[in-house]
Amino acid sequence: MNIHKLDKYAKSLIKEAARRIKSSFATELIIESKSEANDLVTNIDKETEQFFIRHIKQDFPDHRIFGEEGFGDSLQDLKGFVWMLDPIDGTMNFIHQKKNFAISLGIYKDGVGILGYIYNVMDDDLISASLGEGAFFNDIRIPEVKQAIVEQSIIGINASWVVPNKYIEHEGMGKLLQTVRGTRSYGSAAIEISYVVTGKLDAYISMRLSPWDIAGGMVIAKEVGAIVTNLSNEPINLLQQNTFIISKPGLHKELITNYIRLK
Amino acid sequence: MNIHKLDKYAKSLIKEAARRIKSSFATELIIESKSEANDLVTNIDKETEQFFIRHIKQDFPDHRIFGEEGFGDSLQDLKGFVWMLDPIDGTMNFIHQKKNFAISLGIYKDGVGILGYIYNVMDDDLISASLGEGAFFNDIRIPEVKQAIVEQSIIGINASWVVPNKYIEHEGMGKLLQTVRGTRSYGSAAIEISYVVTGKLDAYISMRLSPWDIAGGMVIAKEVGAIVTNLSNEPINLLQQNTFIISKPGLHKELITNYIRLK
């Protein structure tokens, strides 16, 4: 498998999927709830995943697909080529804002991320990375992320995690709030990860993300020197949901050590 | 004073100021702290305000300017024409992200908002409104905001206001977090207001905003039927700092009545 060819193929699928998503704004959106009342999915999420699967299965029949909407394969391992896809990351933004959502895609070979993409559809900004070959914002090479200290940091974190909740001790999060320069919340893991790898945020923390939310971002993170772990400072397991932090290097240790206490 | 001419003039000043801000990215940014450690200001904030003042004072010598950086007039009343200007709303985003900041401008005559502007500089999106003549997103008329219910709402609110703080009872904010569909935080009052008037957020709440943060947005809000008050449900006083809510109509009453308790 030629990685450059696969990269070109993946980019063309992403751009075509984005064109279809944009054109869907003219038609009616059918909104359903998934497991929780506010875990929304639309016909466009589903159609976009099916679009990817149709093409990948035709052109790479031995590749497997692990996708948010569940039309792909059920995975017990990461052997061979696996595409991890969230067709619309930030579905709530897609529905309410018609912007601030992304196509998130990571392509893994035997568990190693080889290609990663986050495409902010409405801004037409594609972040891409190839293992060992760096990361790019559209066609501009993204520099290594810089060091940061917590007092001058802007952290992506949802307000839900600073009040009492079942995942994390909120006292530590409250202390973090009082220490950092600011917090932001954009409602899309892929977009928040894209902000960290391009230096617009210093870290992003979440309590529960699925493999397809983060697989593409993890390939990009590696190429720019951003650290990704779960909130217990362990490697991410791409076969299950994870707690999640992506951060500039020095800051990662400080956040894990001094502020984050899982329940 | 011909309002259409004034509108055209204001828009050309805004666009020229934005061009200067963008070109400043090539030069060194000088960052200072104001009253608080994280209340930042740059040479570009100051130069942009001075650019506006220089032109306004030359072309409209009897107009007064009330601006974030303090180079304008010191106001005891709102008689005559008053320009309320935040040259860069979202300075922290300007510094860290080089995007997600706005020029915010309201022009008031004897205390009545007649022209309002929020210009998202990097997205090149100008929201403008003229009293009684509607509001526009670039050149597209913005429809009236729709009704919303709290359970299906996305609210702009910073995480700082959901933990114990000196302004608002955090229990009510915690209850709100558990009830709404989602929260967002973008780090610029003008941008969050622009999201409410265009239906991307259902409400935005803040504990402390200055007149220049909101004066432009208030003119726009009126034209699309969004409700603006302080958090005690009183009219905004544009000569002082205020607590602030902008919301879709039905939601405004519900938020004020059931969730917001000032200390």
Side-chain angles (χ1 to χ4, degrees):
Chain A
M1 176 61 52
N2 180 312
I3 299 300
H4 289 117
K5 268 194 183 161
L6 190 59
D7 176 42
K8 207 170 163 185
Y9 176 85
K11 280 178 178 160
S12 81
L13 272 194
I14 288 169
K15 291 291 178 94
E16 176 57 23
R19 268 190 293 275
R20 296 164 64 102
I21 291 169
K22 281 185 196 171
S23 72
S24 79
F25 286 138
T27 64
E28 199 192 354
L29 210 55
I30 301 158
I31 303 165
E32 297 168 22
S33 282
K34 290 198 286 194
S35 53
E36 295 178 25
N38 289 332
D39 193 4
L40 305 171
V41 64
T42 73
N43 50 327
I44 310 304
D45 292 78
K46 294 178 184 176
E47 285 170 26
T48 305
E49 181 163 313
Q50 287 165 330
F51 164 82
F52 272 96
I53 291 173
R54 200 161 59 239
H55 283 275
I56 298 164
K57 288 287 179 195
Q58 180 184 301
D59 297 322
F60 302 97
D62 59 330
H63 289 200
R64 294 185 296 165
I65 301 133
F66 201 26
E68 155 120 69
E69 308 315 333
F71 298 110
D73 299 286
S74 172
L75 255 62
Q76 308 302 323
D77 60 62
L78 295 175
K79 284 177 193 156
F81 282 92
V82 177
W83 298 55
M84 303 218 186
L85 172 72
D86 191 348
I88 298 181
D89 186 84
T91 296
M92 202 188 292
N93 290 343
F94 172 68
I95 296 167
H96 284 253
Q97 305 190 335
K98 294 190 169 65
K99 64 182 287 183
N100 299 325
F101 60 89
I103 296 172
S104 173
L105 173 65
I107 304 179
Y108 282 65
K109 186 183 177 190
D110 296 325
V112 177
I114 54 170
L115 293 166
Y117 308 91
I118 297 172
Y119 184 53
N120 182 322
V121 173
M122 301 311 289
D123 287 357
D124 190 22
D125 285 331
L126 176 63
I127 298 179
S128 61
S130 177
L131 179 64
E133 300 196 1
F136 293 83
F137 181 88
N138 296 322
D139 290 323
I140 300 161
R141 190 173 187 118
I142 303 172
E144 290 264 313
V145 295
K146 296 193 180 111
Q147 290 291 327
I149 59 169
V150 66
E151 290 80 5
Q152 293 177 5
S153 292
I154 306 184
I155 310 269
I157 185 164
N158 192 273
S160 301
W161 314 129
V162 305
V163 300
N165 65 82
K166 58 184 173 180
Y167 297 102
I168 193 165
E169 300 289 353
H170 68 281
E171 294 86 354
M173 291 293 97
K175 191 175 81 167
L176 181 60
L177 265 189
Q178 290 167 342
T179 311
V180 295
R181 180 167 279 174
T183 63
R184 300 286 182 270
S185 181
Y186 298 100
S188 157
I191 285 181
E192 309 205 43
I193 292 168
S194 81
Y195 269 34
V196 176
V197 297
T198 55
K200 296 181 182 74
L201 288 174
D202 299 290
Y204 163 63
I205 294 168
S206 185
M207 295 309 128
R208 201 179 41 166
L209 292 176
S210 295
W212 41 81
D213 296 324
I214 57 180
M218 285 171 63
V219 180
I220 301 164
K222 191 171 180 185
E223 296 301 314
V224 299
I227 311 293
V228 173
T229 65
N230 69 18
L231 294 178
S232 305
N233 201 21
E234 299 159 346
I236 296 290
N237 178 346
L238 283 174
L239 291 169
Q240 61 176 44
Q241 285 200 327
N242 291 270
T243 60
F244 184 81
I245 177 169
I246 177 169
S247 173
K248 294 182 174 177
L251 188 61
H252 179 271
K253 190 180 172 192
E254 191 172 357
L255 292 174
I256 292 274
T257 309
N258 296 333
Y259 298 96
I260 292 166
R261 294 271 176 285
L262 289 179
K263 282 187 176 168
Chain B
M1 175 62 52
N2 180 309
I3 297 299
H4 290 116
K5 267 193 182 161
L6 189 61
D7 177 42
K8 207 169 163 187
Y9 177 85
K11 280 177 178 160
S12 81
L13 271 194
I14 288 168
K15 291 291 179 96
E16 175 58 23
R19 270 191 291 276
R20 296 164 64 102
I21 292 168
K22 281 184 194 170
S23 72
S24 78
F25 286 138
T27 65
E28 198 192 355
L29 211 54
I30 301 158
I31 304 165
E32 297 167 25
S33 281
K34 291 198 285 193
S35 53
E36 294 177 27
N38 289 332
D39 193 4
L40 305 171
V41 64
T42 73
N43 50 326
I44 310 304
D45 293 77
K46 293 179 184 176
E47 285 170 26
T48 305
E49 181 162 313
Q50 287 165 330
F51 164 82
F52 273 96
I53 291 174
R54 201 162 56 240
H55 283 275
I56 298 164
K57 288 289 179 193
Q58 182 186 302
D59 297 321
F60 302 96
D62 59 329
H63 288 200
R64 293 185 297 165
I65 301 133
F66 201 27
E68 155 120 68
E69 308 315 333
F71 297 110
D73 300 284
S74 171
L75 255 62
Q76 309 303 322
D77 62 64
L78 295 175
K79 285 178 192 154
F81 281 92
V82 178
W83 296 56
M84 302 215 188
L85 172 71
D86 191 348
I88 297 181
D89 187 83
T91 296
M92 202 186 293
N93 290 344
F94 172 67
I95 295 168
H96 284 251
Q97 306 190 333
K98 293 190 168 65
K99 66 181 285 184
N100 299 326
F101 59 90
I103 296 172
S104 172
L105 173 64
I107 304 179
Y108 282 65
K109 186 183 177 188
D110 296 324
V112 177
I114 54 171
L115 292 166
Y117 308 92
I118 297 173
Y119 184 54
N120 183 323
V121 173
M122 301 312 289
D123 287 357
D124 190 23
D125 285 332
L126 176 63
I127 297 179
S128 61
S130 176
L131 178 64
E133 301 195 2
F136 293 82
F137 181 88
N138 297 323
D139 291 324
I140 300 161
R141 190 173 186 118
I142 304 173
E144 290 264 314
V145 294
K146 297 191 180 111
Q147 290 291 328
I149 60 168
V150 67
E151 289 81 3
Q152 293 178 6
S153 292
I154 306 184
I155 310 270
I157 185 164
N158 191 273
S160 301
W161 313 130
V162 305
V163 299
N165 67 80
K166 59 183 174 181
Y167 298 102
I168 194 165
E169 300 290 353
H170 68 282
E171 293 88 352
M173 291 293 96
K175 190 174 82 168
L176 180 61
L177 266 189
Q178 290 167 342
T179 311
V180 293
R181 179 166 279 176
T183 63
R184 301 287 182 267
S185 180
Y186 298 99
S188 157
I191 285 180
E192 307 204 47
I193 292 167
S194 82
Y195 270 35
V196 176
V197 297
T198 55
K200 297 181 182 74
L201 289 175
D202 299 289
Y204 164 63
I205 294 168
S206 184
M207 296 307 130
R208 200 179 42 168
L209 292 176
S210 295
W212 42 80
D213 297 324
I214 56 180
M218 285 171 64
V219 179
I220 300 164
K222 191 170 182 186
E223 295 302 312
V224 301
I227 312 293
V228 173
T229 65
N230 69 18
L231 293 178
S232 304
N233 201 18
E234 299 159 345
I236 297 290
N237 178 345
L238 283 174
L239 291 168
Q240 64 177 41
Q241 286 199 327
N242 292 268
T243 59
F244 183 81
I245 176 169
I246 176 169
S247 174
K248 293 180 175 176
L251 189 61
H252 179 271
K253 189 181 173 193
E254 191 172 0
L255 293 174
I256 291 273
T257 308
N258 295 334
Y259 297 96
I260 293 167
R261 294 272 176 285
L262 290 179
K263 283 187 178 170

